[in-house]
Amino acid sequence: MKNFPQIIVFLFLFFLLPFSSNATIFKAIANTSWHLTSTWDQGNKLPGSADVVVIDGFNVTFDNNAGDVTIKRLEINNSSNTSFLTIEGDNSFTVLNDLEVTANNIDKNVDLKIQGSVTFHVKGSSLFERVSGNNKDKRLRLHLLGSAIMTVDNDFTFNYHDSDNDEYNEEVLMEGSAKMNIGGHTYLNCHGGKEFLFELKGSSELTLIGNLEMNMTGGNNFFVASTSSLSHLQINGSATLTNSGGSGYFALGAGLNSGSLTVNGNVNLNSTATGKKVILASSGSSAIVEIRGNISMSAVSDEAAQIYLDDESVLKLGGALLRPTNYGALNMNNTSTLEFNGTISQTVPPTKLENTGNDSLWISNLSLKNTSTSPLILQGDLRVEDVLYLNSGKIITSETAMLYIEDNATIVGGSDAAYIEGPMVKIGRTDNQDFTFPIGNSTTYAPITISEVANSSSEIKAQFFGDPPPWGDNFDQSTMDNVNGDKYWSIGKNAGNDVKVTLHWSEAIVGGITDLDDMVVARADETVGLEEWKNYGNSATSGTTTEGSVTSSALLGDPPPWGDQKLTLGSISASNALPVELTKFQAAQQGTHVYLQWETASELNTSHFEIERSSDITNFETIGRKSSAGNTIEYQFYNTKDNRPENGLNYYRLKIVDTDGSFEYSHVEVVRFESEPTIELFPNPVKDMIQLKVDNLESQESTIEIFDKVGKRLFFDVLRFEDGQLELDVDKI
């Protein structure tokens, strides 16, 4: 046993020796071609797959004469003189490990130029380093052109430290149809110097598989720019830009000119020191920036974190727009567009955050193209300065998160698939035309139109309500035959801006229309003790009986004492028997079931009622059906039972179905059903153990009392049931 350690050492040395490195360092010694042995210091040899190549102070050209080449590692630096490596032709050049290119503090250029249709493949990582203290104006540059392809399997890092003020060269320049693919993460760091520029021209393409991290701790300007119409930058991960000390501009996408920038992950714009700018920019004609995740702007001062759009450029956002520190600005001209095109619910912060800096979201044109069933949710007031385009999706608003359409701004679109759920406000003039509020509730698109407004100080708010007002269908019977008392619109306005209103109907809003000429706008008189709908006239109708509109003949004047004015559809004759007039719907527990009852004041072409129940107020199921009277102007009474309610909360609603298959819902009734627990005791007779099983037990702990046949209490304790069951030892009684 005492010889065992010696055997281990012997075997280790035996296996170690054959794998010792055979790498040779090849140093360039002449300004000639790669394939000539006179270029290298190793006599009659050329670099191979096990060798390290160092180019320091010479200009070496790799072309088709060299054939396909594979080396272990490549180092380029200028410690002695200008260093160029030009790789061209249509062969392949492979580096098995790493690439390292360094610009030292001497007044000489360092270039790696890849051109033609060559493929340059680095299977390790790539590092470009302009060293600290390099105060020269000579460049360190990676230059791709023609149809060359450069691939780096692992990380790509470019560290730019210092330079003379006359150093204006691109650090990375891609031209023609060149392509670069980075398999790992990409780190671009500007620590000082005049300007760090990573530029795409022509139809060049840069694809980053991992994340992009851009850090600026010093220096003047730092740009990753796409400056031509066909260039494209694709980031499959996320992009994080952090400026903690640089001056001038720090931008991703700067100068984007009809090209495109796509980020599959998030974009984080971080300014960690006062006044240090970081920008996501698109300033070219028809340029497209698409961020499929979130954009987060975080700063400690105004105008530091920004999104900048100009000249017909489009920012497509698939996630949320975030301002975690309450700083962050969006600046647009009137031809650029912010597009929300997510496939999930999206959020947007207030246009202006109160009691913070001057930063705001200046939204010229807003386009909604959300393809999910989830909405765009406003987290505060949002203002659109020029055009709101509604293509698909809904915008959720509220009294504390209002959508404002500014002076002379317009809306394009609005449909069942794209509208505003909640209140919205039109500010100022309506661009010499009528203005339609594309509004609705959670289930129904119900637009309302106002006549032209020519006053820039006008402020008009509109909202649609799918529930009846407190007085239901109480109306002025001297001027109308019936009204749609279960749905209404509200208009709030300031004084001196009188408008006509147009109410729009569809089968989802109202049924039973047969005569358009008899339709009128009904306006609520909410005088205490006299709440009722009054005839506001008909100056025009359009459309069909299933989808149309009616315009009031009277103007909505100054606001009444009670505030917003309520409007609904009315008819001056019985030829338009507006839908089932549901006057009551109630649900209550009665013993072991829930009793439901409802009544209608009139019905037209009604087929039946479906009773629906839910335990979460979101997912309803049909639990019953009741035939209707069909066509009547008499009161009708209905009732039914739910014999199997859920223990706890039950939500009930009526689905009122017409003969043509169209339908509408009643309001929701809530019943908290509390069933008596059922108890089983076994075995009977009892021997050693008493077993209790209890259904519908609200609490796991219960008081247990046992009495004999003459009423004497034999046992009392508070015991815990497990899954509704309990065992009790007879000996303990």
Side-chain angles (χ1 to χ4, degrees), residues 399-687:
E399 292 295 334
T400 58
M402 192 76 70
L403 174 66
Y404 291 87
I405 307 299
E406 291 291 334
D407 184 36
N408 271 332
T410 59
I411 297 178
V412 176
S415 66
D416 290 336
Y419 61 89
I420 314 303
E421 181 183 335
M424 64 172 291
V425 176
K426 176 68 182 82
I427 299 291
R429 296 163 292 179
T430 59
D431 198 26
N432 300 313
Q433 58 189 332
D434 293 348
F435 181 86
T436 296
F437 293 84
I439 55 178
N441 63 0
S442 60
T443 60
T444 305
Y445 174 54
I448 184 173
T449 300
I450 59 173
S451 56
E452 177 189 347
V453 177
N455 185 351
S456 61
S457 63
S458 169
E459 185 168 330
I460 300 177
K461 180 178 73 172
Q463 187 171 2
F464 174 71
F465 295 88
D467 298 320
W471 61 89
D473 65 342
N474 187 33
F475 62 92
D476 181 358
Q477 298 185 21
S478 66
T479 60
M480 289 186 292
D481 181 84
N482 59 87
V483 296
N484 181 12
D486 65 341
K487 297 179 178 68
Y488 68 96
W489 293 260
S490 73
I491 290 284
K493 57 188 289 297
N494 52 2
N497 298 289
D498 298 349
V499 292
K500 287 185 177 181
V501 293
T502 300
L503 304 182
H504 300 259
W505 68 75
S506 64
E507 290 184 336
I509 298 172
V510 66
I513 297 176
T514 60
D515 189 343
L516 270 63
D517 291 337
D518 285 352
M519 294 295 294
V520 295
V521 173
R523 174 183 173 274
D525 182 348
E526 297 183 64
T527 304
V528 177
L530 190 63
E531 294 93 343
E532 65 177 9
W533 296 107
K534 291 187 177 297
N535 189 340
Y536 235 53
N538 173 347
S539 64
T541 54
S542 65
T544 67
T545 58
T546 57
E547 187 168 349
S549 65
V550 57
T551 302
S552 66
S553 55
L555 293 171
L556 284 186
D558 290 346
W562 54 82
D564 293 351
Q565 304 181 63
K566 297 177 176 60
L567 305 162
T568 193
L569 294 163
S571 175
I572 61 175
S573 73
S575 59
N576 297 314
L578 301 175
V580 168
E581 192 179 324
L582 188 69
T583 58
K584 180 188 292 184
F585 173 49
Q586 295 176 328
Q589 180 175 351
Q590 286 189 354
T592 60
H593 63 265
V594 172
Y595 182 75
L596 301 103
Q597 62 177 354
W598 63 98
E599 66 180 41
T600 63
S602 63
E603 298 178 18
L604 176 67
N605 297 326
T606 310
S607 169
H608 62 276
F609 302 92
E610 294 180 10
I611 300 90
E612 296 185 350
R613 184 186 67 202
S614 170
S615 60
D616 59 6
I617 208 171
T618 300
N619 302 298
F620 282 86
E621 62 174 341
T622 300
I623 62 169
R625 175 184 171 117
K626 200 81 169 177
S627 296
S628 71
N631 294 285
T632 180
I633 58 173
E634 302 292 334
Y635 277 88
Q636 301 294 316
F637 301 90
Y638 302 88
N639 63 75
T640 188
K641 293 180 181 179
D642 178 9
N643 291 315
R644 295 184 177 180
E646 300 285 341
N647 204 39
L649 290 177
N650 292 262
Y651 301 89
Y652 296 93
R653 69 183 182 187
L654 294 178
K655 183 177 181 180
I656 307 165
V657 183
D658 287 347
T659 53
D660 63 0
S662 62
F663 62 87
E664 62 181 10
Y665 287 109
S666 70
H667 68 274
V668 175
E669 282 283 299
V670 184
V671 176
R672 179 181 292 276
F673 186 81
E674 298 179 351
S675 60
E676 293 294 329
T678 59
I679 303 174
E680 294 182 52
L681 186 149
F682 55 91
N684 191 7
V686 174
K687 293 184 179 180

Side-chain angles (χ1 to χ4, degrees), residues 3 115 262 342 368 423 435 678:
N3 293 325
Q115 62 185 11
T262 303
L368 182 62
F435 181 86
T678 59

Side-chain angles (χ1 to χ4, degrees), residues 142 144 148-152 156 172-184 186 188 198-212 214 223-226 230-236 252-253 260-263:
L142 170 62
L144 277 72
I149 299 174
M150 178 176 177
T151 300
V152 179
F156 179 95
V172 181
L173 175 61
M174 298 178 62
E175 298 183 276
S177 59
K179 293 180 174 60
M180 184 188 300
N181 303 296
I182 309 298
T186 301
L188 305 178
F198 193 132
E199 184 174 5
L200 281 71
K201 294 182 176 180
S203 59
S204 58
E205 296 180 11
L206 173 62
T207 302
L208 310 181
I209 304 301
N211 297 327
L212 169 64
M214 298 169 60
F223 299 105
V224 174
S226 183
L230 298 175
S231 59
H232 179 57
L233 169 56
Q234 171 90 28
I235 303 171
N236 290 341
L252 173 63
S260 58
L261 163 64
T262 303
V263 182

Side-chain angles (χ1 to χ4, degrees), residues 19-32:
F19 290 93
S20 63
S21 174
N22 290 323
T24 301
I25 298 177
F26 279 73
K27 294 183 178 180
I29 57 174
N31 297 321
T32 54

Side-chain angles (χ1 to χ4, degrees), residues 4-16:
F4 183 73
Q6 295 176 339
I7 297 174
I8 295 297
V9 172
F10 172 78
L11 291 174
F12 174 77
L13 294 174
F14 176 81
F15 286 108
L16 177 65

